Short mmCIF file of all heavy atoms in Angstrom, two decimals:
data_model
loop_
_atom_site.label_atom_id
_atom_site.label_comp_id
_atom_site.label_asym_id
_atom_site.label_seq_id
_atom_site.Cartn_x
_atom_site.Cartn_y
_atom_site.Cartn_z
N ARG H 51 107.57 98.10 123.21
CA ARG H 51 108.81 98.78 123.65
C ARG H 51 110.06 98.47 122.79
O ARG H 51 110.47 97.32 122.72
CB ARG H 51 109.08 98.41 125.08
CG ARG H 51 108.01 99.00 126.02
CD ARG H 51 108.09 98.31 127.39
NE ARG H 51 109.46 98.49 127.98
CZ ARG H 51 109.91 97.69 128.90
NH1 ARG H 51 109.17 96.71 129.40
NH2 ARG H 51 111.14 97.89 129.42
N THR H 53 113.20 98.56 123.21
CA THR H 53 114.20 98.69 124.27
C THR H 53 115.63 98.88 123.65
O THR H 53 115.83 98.67 122.44
CB THR H 53 114.18 97.40 125.12
OG1 THR H 53 114.52 96.30 124.28
CG2 THR H 53 112.83 97.18 125.69
N ARG H 56 116.92 95.85 121.63
CA ARG H 56 116.13 95.74 120.44
C ARG H 56 116.51 96.76 119.40
O ARG H 56 116.73 96.53 118.23
CB ARG H 56 114.65 95.82 120.74
CG ARG H 56 114.10 94.64 121.55
CD ARG H 56 112.72 94.93 122.07
NE ARG H 56 112.20 93.69 122.74
CZ ARG H 56 111.01 93.67 123.33
NH1 ARG H 56 110.23 94.74 123.44
NH2 ARG H 56 110.64 92.49 123.90
N ASN H 85 124.59 92.23 127.12
CA ASN H 85 124.55 90.83 127.45
C ASN H 85 124.76 90.02 126.16
O ASN H 85 124.25 90.41 125.12
CB ASN H 85 123.19 90.42 128.10
CG ASN H 85 123.16 88.94 128.41
OD1 ASN H 85 124.20 88.34 128.68
ND2 ASN H 85 122.00 88.42 128.35
N PRO H 89 120.18 83.84 123.73
CA PRO H 89 118.78 84.24 123.88
C PRO H 89 118.53 85.75 123.71
O PRO H 89 117.47 86.17 123.17
CB PRO H 89 118.40 83.79 125.26
CG PRO H 89 119.25 82.63 125.55
CD PRO H 89 120.58 83.02 124.92
N ARG H 93 115.87 86.79 121.03
CA ARG H 93 114.61 87.47 121.47
C ARG H 93 114.42 88.81 120.74
O ARG H 93 113.29 89.12 120.37
CB ARG H 93 114.71 87.72 122.96
CG ARG H 93 114.45 86.53 123.84
CD ARG H 93 114.93 86.75 125.24
NE ARG H 93 114.75 85.59 126.13
CZ ARG H 93 115.37 85.50 127.24
NH1 ARG H 93 116.23 86.40 127.66
NH2 ARG H 93 115.16 84.43 128.00
P DT E 38 102.00 90.92 129.25
OP1 DT E 38 101.01 91.36 128.28
OP2 DT E 38 102.37 89.48 129.46
"O5'" DT E 38 103.40 91.61 128.83
"C5'" DT E 38 103.62 92.98 129.23
"C4'" DT E 38 105.09 93.23 129.25
"O4'" DT E 38 105.69 92.79 130.52
"C3'" DT E 38 105.89 92.54 128.16
"O3'" DT E 38 106.65 93.54 127.50
"C2'" DT E 38 106.75 91.54 128.93
"C1'" DT E 38 106.92 92.22 130.29
N1 DT E 38 107.25 91.36 131.46
C2 DT E 38 108.28 91.65 132.28
O2 DT E 38 108.95 92.68 132.14
N3 DT E 38 108.46 90.82 133.37
C4 DT E 38 107.78 89.72 133.63
O4 DT E 38 108.00 89.05 134.63
C5 DT E 38 106.65 89.40 132.74
C7 DT E 38 105.84 88.20 132.98
C6 DT E 38 106.46 90.19 131.70
P DA E 39 107.63 93.23 126.30
OP1 DA E 39 107.66 94.47 125.48
OP2 DA E 39 107.31 91.94 125.71
"O5'" DA E 39 109.03 93.10 127.05
"C5'" DA E 39 109.58 94.23 127.72
"C4'" DA E 39 110.87 93.84 128.36
"O4'" DA E 39 110.61 92.94 129.40
"C3'" DA E 39 111.89 93.19 127.42
"O3'" DA E 39 113.02 94.00 127.39
"C2'" DA E 39 112.17 91.81 128.06
"C1'" DA E 39 111.73 91.99 129.47
N9 DA E 39 111.23 90.85 130.19
C8 DA E 39 110.15 90.04 129.81
N7 DA E 39 109.91 89.07 130.64
C5 DA E 39 110.88 89.18 131.62
C6 DA E 39 111.17 88.45 132.75
N6 DA E 39 110.47 87.36 133.12
N1 DA E 39 112.20 88.85 133.53
C2 DA E 39 112.92 89.93 133.16
N3 DA E 39 112.69 90.72 132.08
C4 DA E 39 111.69 90.29 131.37
P DT E 40 114.35 93.58 126.67
OP1 DT E 40 115.10 94.82 126.40
OP2 DT E 40 114.04 92.57 125.61
"O5'" DT E 40 115.13 92.77 127.88
"C5'" DT E 40 115.65 93.58 128.96
"C4'" DT E 40 116.40 92.65 129.88
"O4'" DT E 40 115.50 91.58 130.33
"C3'" DT E 40 117.56 91.98 129.27
"O3'" DT E 40 118.72 92.36 130.02
"C2'" DT E 40 117.31 90.48 129.31
"C1'" DT E 40 116.28 90.43 130.46
N1 DT E 40 115.28 89.31 130.46
C2 DT E 40 115.28 88.43 131.59
O2 DT E 40 116.06 88.55 132.49
N3 DT E 40 114.38 87.42 131.48
C4 DT E 40 113.53 87.22 130.44
O4 DT E 40 112.71 86.25 130.51
C5 DT E 40 113.57 88.11 129.32
C7 DT E 40 112.62 88.02 128.18
C6 DT E 40 114.47 89.11 129.38
P DG E 41 120.16 91.79 129.73
OP1 DG E 41 121.16 92.81 130.10
OP2 DG E 41 120.17 91.15 128.36
"O5'" DG E 41 120.26 90.56 130.87
"C5'" DG E 41 120.13 90.89 132.22
"C4'" DG E 41 120.50 89.70 133.10
"O4'" DG E 41 119.44 88.67 132.96
"C3'" DG E 41 121.80 88.98 132.61
"O3'" DG E 41 122.49 88.67 133.84
"C2'" DG E 41 121.24 87.71 131.90
"C1'" DG E 41 119.94 87.45 132.62
N9 DG E 41 118.92 86.82 131.83
C8 DG E 41 118.37 87.27 130.66
N7 DG E 41 117.41 86.49 130.15
C5 DG E 41 117.29 85.52 131.14
C6 DG E 41 116.45 84.37 131.13
O6 DG E 41 115.54 84.05 130.31
N1 DG E 41 116.65 83.58 132.27
C2 DG E 41 117.60 83.80 133.22
N2 DG E 41 117.69 82.94 134.24
N3 DG E 41 118.44 84.89 133.24
C4 DG E 41 118.25 85.67 132.11
P DT E 42 123.89 88.02 133.86
OP1 DT E 42 124.59 88.28 135.12
OP2 DT E 42 124.59 88.37 132.58
"O5'" DT E 42 123.56 86.45 133.80
"C5'" DT E 42 122.76 85.93 134.86
"C4'" DT E 42 122.67 84.39 134.68
"O4'" DT E 42 121.53 84.05 133.78
"C3'" DT E 42 123.91 83.70 134.03
"O3'" DT E 42 124.37 82.79 134.95
"C2'" DT E 42 123.37 83.12 132.74
"C1'" DT E 42 121.95 82.93 133.03
N1 DT E 42 120.97 82.96 131.87
C2 DT E 42 120.00 82.03 131.78
O2 DT E 42 119.83 81.13 132.64
N3 DT E 42 119.16 82.15 130.69
C4 DT E 42 119.23 83.06 129.68
O4 DT E 42 118.44 83.06 128.76
C5 DT E 42 120.34 84.03 129.80
C7 DT E 42 120.48 85.13 128.80
C6 DT E 42 121.14 83.95 130.90
P DT E 43 125.79 82.02 134.73
OP1 DT E 43 126.49 81.95 136.03
OP2 DT E 43 126.43 82.57 133.52
"O5'" DT E 43 125.30 80.56 134.41
"C5'" DT E 43 124.28 79.98 135.18
"C4'" DT E 43 123.74 78.72 134.50
"O4'" DT E 43 122.79 79.08 133.47
"C3'" DT E 43 124.87 77.91 133.80
"O3'" DT E 43 124.89 76.60 134.36
"C2'" DT E 43 124.44 77.91 132.28
"C1'" DT E 43 122.96 78.14 132.38
N1 DT E 43 122.37 78.85 131.21
C2 DT E 43 121.15 78.42 130.71
O2 DT E 43 120.53 77.47 131.17
N3 DT E 43 120.71 79.07 129.61
C4 DT E 43 121.34 80.13 128.98
O4 DT E 43 120.85 80.67 128.00
C5 DT E 43 122.58 80.56 129.53
C7 DT E 43 123.34 81.70 128.87
C6 DT E 43 123.05 79.91 130.63
#
Side-chain angles (χ1 to χ4, degrees):
Chain H
R51 293 166 56 201
T53 61
R56 289 169 175 177
N85 178 30
R93 283 163 180 163

